[in-house]
Amino acid sequence: MLKDVLTPEDCAACGFCCSFRRQSLNLTPYFAKETVGQISRLYPGACFKTLPNGAVTIDIDDKYHTDDSSEEALCPFNEVGCILPEDLKPFDCKLWPFRLMKSGDGLALALVPTCPAILKADPEKLKEVAQSVAKEAAEYAKTHPEIVIEYRDDYQIMFSDWA
Ligand code: SF4
Ligand code: SF4
């Protein structure tokens, strides 16, 4: 999906979406609960935590070494790129830089405003990409509703017409 709008060079020079500042820990990816056991067996050093909304995410709270708010902590599955096999990768990461969010009585597929490369992409192309993944995202959310985040007005809606 992303290869339609981003180049590998864009991401190689950035890596932003696989590292997190303390104040952006709310953006760590949610893992499908049924994959966590297998991931833990494959990567025993990785720690997970369950959030109040029931979502399971990486626990990197103890990975910061300073009090500097700009310090970044890497996702434990990033080793010059994601090491997780495709079937164990969080759906959030497959969907990035889109998030599924509540909008009115329905859902919207919205663009996260923090990807520097995507903001330079053609908006019409982005809408096409959003439309192409919308059905799969809505289906996934039926069994994994925790991936649907609360509405945020700083996220740009790219698709909302599932009718
Ligand atoms: S934030 Fe955007 S440009 Fe940076 S690594 Fe992620 S997808 Fe690539
Ligand atoms: S699971 Fe993989 S793609 Fe997702 S944040 Fe971690 S390293 Fe990046």
Side-chain angles (χ1 to χ4, degrees):
M1 169 189 83
L2 274 178
K3 63 180 170 29
D4 294 334
V5 283
L6 291 181
T7 67
E9 291 75 29
D10 285 327
C11 296
C14 173
F16 173 84
C17 52
C18 297
S19 70
F20 306 91
R21 296 181 180 185
R22 282 189 187 82
Q23 69 267 30
S24 61
L25 283 175
N26 59 336
L27 287 176
T28 54
Y30 294 166
F31 289 71
K33 291 188 184 78
E34 62 272 22
T35 65
V36 172
Q38 192 179 349
I39 295 173
S40 297
R41 283 190 292 279
L42 286 171
Y43 308 99
C47 295
F48 293 95
K49 62 183 175 185
T50 302
L51 301 175
N53 66 355
V56 178
T57 190
I58 44 174
D59 186 352
I60 54 173
D61 293 358
D62 64 353
K63 300 297 181 197
Y64 298 96
H65 304 295
T66 71
D67 293 331
D68 184 348
S69 62
S70 65
E71 182 183 358
E72 304 260 354
L74 265 182
C75 172
F77 305 113
N78 185 295
E79 292 180 9
V80 195
C82 185
I83 57 172
L84 287 178
E86 201 58 24
D87 60 329
L88 297 179
K89 194 184 264 195
F91 192 77
D92 275 346
C93 300
K94 296 179 187 172
L95 204 55
W96 178 272
F98 300 105
R99 293 294 299 261
L100 207 50
M101 72 177 188
K102 294 177 186 169
S103 177
D105 294 333
L107 293 175
L109 206 52
L111 192 61
V112 178
T114 46
C115 169
I118 210 80
L119 297 177
K120 294 183 284 183
D122 174 3
E124 290 309 312
K125 186 71 193 170
L126 286 172
K127 285 180 186 167
E128 278 176 31
V129 175
Q131 184 168 5
S132 72
V133 296
K135 187 174 174 196
E136 185 187 359
E139 280 301 313
Y140 183 84
K142 286 180 186 170
T143 50
H144 301 82
E146 68 277 5
I147 71 157
V148 181
I149 61 171
E150 295 296 323
Y151 177 80
R152 293 183 54 149
D153 62 7
D154 57 334
Y155 283 23
Q156 189 181 352
I157 292 178
M158 289 283 145
F159 182 86
S160 60
D161 184 13
W162 274 274

